Amino acid sequence: MKENKIIFTGPVGVGKTTAISALSDEPPIQTDASASDMTLVRKGYTTVAMDYGVIHLDEETKVHLYGTPGQERFNFMWEILSQGSMGLVLLLDNTRTNPLKDLQFFWKLSVNY
């Protein structure tokens, strides 16, 4: 079996969980918890460890989809999830105060892993 891994990353509330849910061939695994910090302004629940889904390209090829938490305090998960990945999907929200700053932050972060 050939297995690949793609990471979905970006700030809180950009749609990482939604994207993985829409793409996954199986019900996704989500680790949402009640928001307890400034995230509460944007949404009631947030990813605290990861989201996970899988796409079956054919009988011999799987693509694992991992979504990172958007909050910087969970950044230890970013490195763990990124190991062995073959691609990155960086999602941004143009309605945020400074989406270019978000792009620079997550791009710099992803290059390190």
Side-chain angles (χ1 to χ4, degrees), residues 4-110:
N4 303 289
K5 182 179 186 181
I6 296 177
I7 304 300
F8 287 70
T9 196
V12 171
V14 296
K16 299 177 294 287
T17 300
T18 301
I20 290 173
S21 295
L23 294 170
S24 184
D25 291 333
E26 300 174 5
I29 296 170
Q30 299 171 346
T31 59
D32 288 353
S34 295
S36 61
D37 58 7
M38 64 186 176
T39 303
L40 194 53
V41 174
R42 296 185 62 88
K43 60 185 191 170
Y45 289 87
T46 190
T47 301
V48 294
M50 68 175 183
D51 294 313
Y52 172 77
V54 65
I55 298 173
H56 300 277
L57 297 179
D58 56 40
E59 291 181 13
E60 306 230 352
T61 310
K62 273 195 210 181
V63 179
H64 300 275
L65 311 172
Y66 288 90
T68 66
Q71 294 166 295
E72 193 171 347
R73 66 187 169 123
F74 297 118
N75 67 353
F76 64 93
M77 287 301 299
W78 300 343
E79 182 175 0
I80 293 167
L81 294 175
S82 295
Q83 292 177 10
S85 64
M86 65 173 285
L88 173 75
V89 176
L90 174 57
L91 298 171
L92 298 170
D93 180 354
N94 198 41
T95 65
R96 286 175 51 97
T97 306
N98 194 343
L100 185 55
K101 184 178 177 182
D102 291 337
L103 172 65
Q104 291 168 336
F105 174 80
F106 282 94
W107 177 253
K108 190 180 295 182
L109 185 70
S110 67

